[in-house]
């Protein structure tokens, strides 16, 4: 089933990768949210924003670019108060503009409210159409704005009541953090697609601040302790009267995004209660068992392949070598040479260590092949640096279906594995051999004995109905 650009046009983005952070009860709330976002920068590099409350008024600042460039001391001084939320956003397709940057805020009959969202709503098109027919005027093309309209229009009198009302109408993936004048409210969708961790931070005066983040690496930076996850279908309210945790809807079949463990989250985070580095290393070990290679060195594609390459090397006994060096300072814009230089883009990011590769049979480990174009350039780079053989090993199954729950994947027609056999992909990327981790091993690596993860990008079986324009895809086996 193909999705035309026309069908995608109501919202700019169907796939939006983001990080969220929230904090209640610290005199330097905006400063700490800034640090939290800094640690979550890998989840979105296009825009960032912070909204804080001084108890009477919400102050908000959003801009395009990286967290550290946007939030200078002067900017942070404009965000007073003891409670704040923040967001980093990344999008590739469609319009990328400031009006879609988050937190989004409104003033309505429930007071001022700001929201930051990680995930994608799968019924946003239908809800937006209904709201527009009823007279709502939208400022952005982001699905998150639908939530604010639902809150504003709710007949419930309190903000938490209106939020509950809104949460019961939206479907898909959402880890949400809301800021009101005197409280933080967070919520997670009933399937638990995207992560949302809760932590606490002790203040020097003995008080305790409460924090929430997409990933626990954000807690580490500010010295907060990870307590547990916001549960799927749970809403947590932190305000002057303390903290309340409640289920706003009964739990449903769990569908934690397995790609958070494969690629998206930082390895130093605990996601869905499990250390990411641990599951990635296990993916590498199982990959080595399933698909051994007669080779001299194991080389990761940095940074995504590092932890699984360590696992592959440990399991196979083949030495691990960092033979591709990544330049971490490549910005979004750079001056390109006026004359075409072959594979310029990938050379900006990666450079081979020739003496580690020359004459060697190399196992190259990465987490995924999406379109195949970058992988081909990297295989060529390794071969041009003198490798005798290049055996590509992928620490997840073939990516055959787009994600509708918040990971940026191209349409199915652009996914090389959706349209080619493994042998055809091997030929395209010009590797001597190519093998992927099996679904069973991936599930084992993330300890998914109870079937709590979503594998839709690898199987095309979506755990919820997915609505794209007029097309409603079935719960399983669509596309
Ligand atoms: P390609 O060979 O062009 O398909 O690109 C493969 C590379 O893209 C791998 O190194 C992956 O780590 C990386 N990758 C996979 N998924 C994503 C994603 N959602 N966003 C950005 N990069 C990704």
């Amino acid at each position: 089933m193909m999705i035309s650009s026309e069908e995608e046009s109501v919202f700019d983005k169907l796939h939006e990768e983001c990080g969220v952070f929230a904090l209640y009860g610290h005199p330097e709330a905006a400063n700490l949210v800034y640090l939290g976002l800094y640690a979550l920068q890998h989840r979105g590099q296009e825009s960032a924003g912070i909204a804080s409350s001084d108890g009477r008024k919400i102050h908000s600042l959003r801009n395009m670019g990286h967290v550290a460039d946007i939030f200078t001391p002067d900017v942070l001084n404009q965000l007073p108060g003891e409670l704040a939320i923040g967001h980093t956003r990344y999008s590739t397709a469609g319009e990328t503009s400031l009006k879609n940057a988050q937190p989004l805020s409104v003033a309505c009959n429930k007071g001022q409210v700001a929201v930051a969202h990680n995930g994608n709503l799968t019924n946003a098109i239908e809800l937006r159409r209904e709201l527009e027919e009823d007279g709502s005027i939208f400022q952005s093309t982001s699905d998150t704005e639908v939530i604010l309209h639902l809150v504003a229009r709710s007949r419930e009198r309190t903000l938490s009541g209106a939020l509950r009302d809104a949460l019961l109408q939206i479907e898909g993936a959402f880890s949400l953090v809301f800021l009101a004048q005197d409280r933080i409210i967070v919520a997670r969708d009933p399937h638990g697609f995207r992560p949302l961790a809760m932590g606490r931070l002790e203040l020097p005066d003995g008080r305790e601040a409460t924090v929430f983040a997409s990933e626990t690496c954000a807690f580490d930076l500010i010295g907060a302790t990870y307590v547990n996850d916001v549960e799927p279908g749970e809403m947590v309210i932190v305000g002057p009267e303390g903290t309340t945790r409640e289920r706003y809807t009964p739990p449903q079949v769990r569908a934690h995004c397995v790609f958070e463990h494969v690629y998206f989250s930082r390895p130093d985070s605990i996601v869905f209660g499990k250390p990411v580095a641990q599951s990635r290393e296990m993916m590498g070990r199982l990959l080595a068992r399933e698909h051994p290679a007669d080779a001299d060195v194991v080389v990761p594609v940095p940074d995504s392949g590092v932890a699984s390459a360590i696992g592959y090397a440990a399991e196979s006994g083949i030495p691990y070598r960092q033979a591709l060096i990544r330049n971490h300072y490549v910005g979004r814009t750079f001056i390109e040479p006026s004359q075409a230089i072959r594979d310029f883009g990938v050379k900006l990011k990666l450079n081979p260590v020739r003496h580690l590769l020359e004459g060697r049979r190399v196992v190259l480990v990465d987490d995924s092949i999406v379109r195949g174009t970058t992988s081909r350039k990297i295989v060529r780079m390794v071969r041009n640096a003198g490798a005798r053989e290049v055996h590509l090993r992928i620490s997840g199954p073939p990516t055959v279906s787009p994600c509708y729950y918040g990971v940026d994947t191209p349409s199915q027609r652009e996914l090389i594995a959706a349209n080619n056999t493994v042998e055809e992909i091997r030929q395209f990327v010009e590797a001597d051999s190519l093998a992927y981790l099996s679904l069973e091993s991936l599930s084992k690596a993330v300890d998914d004995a109870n079937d709590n993860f979503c594998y839709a990008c690898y199987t095309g079986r979506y755990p919820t109905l997915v609505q794209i324009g007029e097309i409603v895809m079935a719960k399983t086996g669509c596309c």
Side-chain angles (χ1 to χ4, degrees):
M1 192 179 292
M2 290 300 175
I3 297 149
S4 74
S5 54
E6 206 178 308
E7 282 152 355
E8 286 186 356
S9 68
V10 183
F11 295 100
D12 282 340
K13 284 293 296 125
L14 287 165
H15 327 294
E16 199 169 287
E17 294 168 354
C18 304
V20 295
F21 193 90
L23 179 145
Y24 180 91
H26 195 289
E28 287 190 75
N31 267 323
L32 294 188
V33 171
Y34 155 73
L35 291 171
L37 293 182
Y38 189 80
L40 298 174
Q41 184 73 81
H42 61 288
R43 298 184 71 88
Q45 298 92 45
E46 183 194 82
S47 65
I50 297 177
S52 72
S53 171
D54 58 13
R56 284 171 294 118
K57 189 172 180 296
I58 288 183
H59 307 261
S60 174
L61 215 137
R62 311 170 291 159
N63 215 334
M64 306 302 286
H66 286 188
V67 176
D69 298 328
I70 299 169
F71 293 102
T72 59
D74 281 351
V75 169
L76 285 168
N77 280 338
Q78 296 166 35
L79 297 165
E82 299 213 341
L83 52 162
I85 61 170
H87 189 259
T88 64
R89 176 176 187 268
Y90 166 73
S91 77
T92 47
E95 192 187 351
T96 57
S97 72
L98 191 54
K99 69 177 193 283
N100 283 338
Q102 296 190 21
L104 294 176
S105 42
V106 284
C108 63
N109 56 359
K110 283 102 195 162
Q112 270 190 299
V113 194
V115 61
H117 172 201
N118 175 208
N120 268 101
L121 305 186
T122 48
N123 65 339
I125 295 170
E126 181 194 348
L127 288 173
R128 181 172 171 141
R129 194 178 295 142
E130 286 168 15
L131 286 161
E132 283 180 329
E133 275 168 18
D134 277 357
S136 293
I137 296 167
F138 281 75
Q139 309 282 332
S140 77
T141 49
S142 141
D143 60 349
T144 310
E145 197 183 346
V146 167
I147 303 168
L148 287 180
H149 280 276
L150 293 174
V151 170
R153 295 174 71 95
S154 169
R155 287 173 196 275
E156 292 285 339
R157 299 240 301 276
T158 62
L159 175 62
S160 52
L163 279 181
R164 223 173 274 120
D165 217 12
L167 295 174
L168 292 172
Q169 294 174 69
I170 58 177
E171 288 167 15
F174 51 91
S175 285
L176 292 163
V177 298
F178 294 91
L179 173 74
Q181 273 136 306
D182 66 345
R183 64 197 55 220
I184 296 274
I185 305 179
V186 309
R188 203 162 158 221
D189 70 71
H191 297 281
F193 281 103
R194 307 252 73 89
L196 188 58
M198 181 170 170
R200 74 167 81 89
L201 173 64
E202 270 186 37
L203 274 67
D205 63 5
R207 283 191 300 156
E208 211 171 66
T210 306
V211 285
F212 300 92
S214 296
E215 288 181 41
T216 59
C217 64
F219 295 162
D220 299 339
L221 182 58
I222 62 166
T225 315
Y226 169 53
V227 176
N228 53 25
D229 285 351
V230 176
E231 289 291 306
E234 190 182 34
M235 181 161 121
V236 185
I237 305 169
V238 194
E241 60 289 329
T243 300
T244 54
R245 302 183 70 149
E246 63 169 84
R247 283 201 180 275
Y248 66 88
T249 188
Q252 292 180 22
V253 173
R254 296 217 171 180
H256 303 323
C257 169
V258 77
F259 200 59
E260 291 276 353
H261 274 268
V262 172
Y263 167 83
F264 200 45
S265 294
R266 264 174 47 165
D268 50 337
S269 287
I270 297 169
V271 170
F272 309 130
K274 186 173 168 62
V276 174
Q278 196 180 49
S279 40
R280 265 183 214 164
E281 190 174 324
M282 186 50 76
M283 287 169 210
R285 283 185 177 274
L286 297 175
L287 187 60
R289 275 184 224 164
E290 281 183 346
H291 303 290
D294 200 5
D296 307 308
V297 281
V298 174
V299 174
V301 175
D303 293 324
S304 51
V306 170
S308 42
I310 288 170
Y312 194 103
E315 189 69 22
S316 64
I318 303 171
Y320 171 88
R321 292 285 179 270
Q322 268 187 297
L324 286 171
I325 303 302
R326 180 166 169 191
N327 182 336
H328 286 99
Y329 309 99
V330 182
R332 288 218 136 222
T333 50
F334 49 82
I335 300 157
E336 289 195 49
S338 49
Q339 297 220 325
I341 294 180
R342 235 171 122 242
D343 298 337
F344 180 71
V346 81
K347 278 186 193 158
L348 260 184
K349 215 168 162 185
L350 295 175
N351 197 35
V353 184
R354 186 168 273 276
H355 83 272
L356 294 177
L357 296 168
E358 233 156 22
R360 304 265 160 77
R361 296 167 303 163
V362 176
V363 179
L364 190 62
V365 182
D366 204 354
D367 67 284
S368 38
I369 302 178
V370 184
R371 293 182 176 86
T373 46
T374 308
S375 307
R376 174 158 73 175
K377 286 174 186 169
I378 297 170
V379 171
R380 275 186 192 162
M381 177 180 275
V382 170
R383 213 185 286 283
N384 289 341
R388 189 145 55 90
E389 292 170 15
V390 184
H391 301 278
L392 186 57
R393 295 291 179 269
I394 303 296
S395 61
T399 306
V400 293
S401 294
C403 177
Y404 298 107
Y405 307 116
V407 171
D408 177 47
T409 32
S411 68
Q412 198 169 33
R413 117 197 65 159
E414 292 170 85
L415 289 172
I416 191 166
N419 306 293
N420 294 277
T421 63
V422 173
E423 171 55 19
E424 285 165 346
I425 302 169
R426 182 198 69 74
Q427 286 175 23
F428 180 82
V429 300
E430 300 172 0
D432 293 287
S433 75
L434 166 66
Y436 291 85
L437 186 66
S438 69
L439 201 58
E440 296 68 36
S441 288
L442 176 59
S443 148
K444 213 182 277 176
V446 293
D447 287 333
D448 189 21
N450 298 325
D451 232 355
N452 281 339
F453 278 79
C454 171
Y455 301 92
C457 54
Y458 303 127
T459 61
R461 288 194 297 275
Y462 295 91
T464 65
L465 288 175
V466 177
Q467 186 208 357
I468 313 294
E470 298 306 319
I471 302 168
V472 178
M473 300 203 287
K475 258 180 136 164
T476 55
C478 60
C479 302

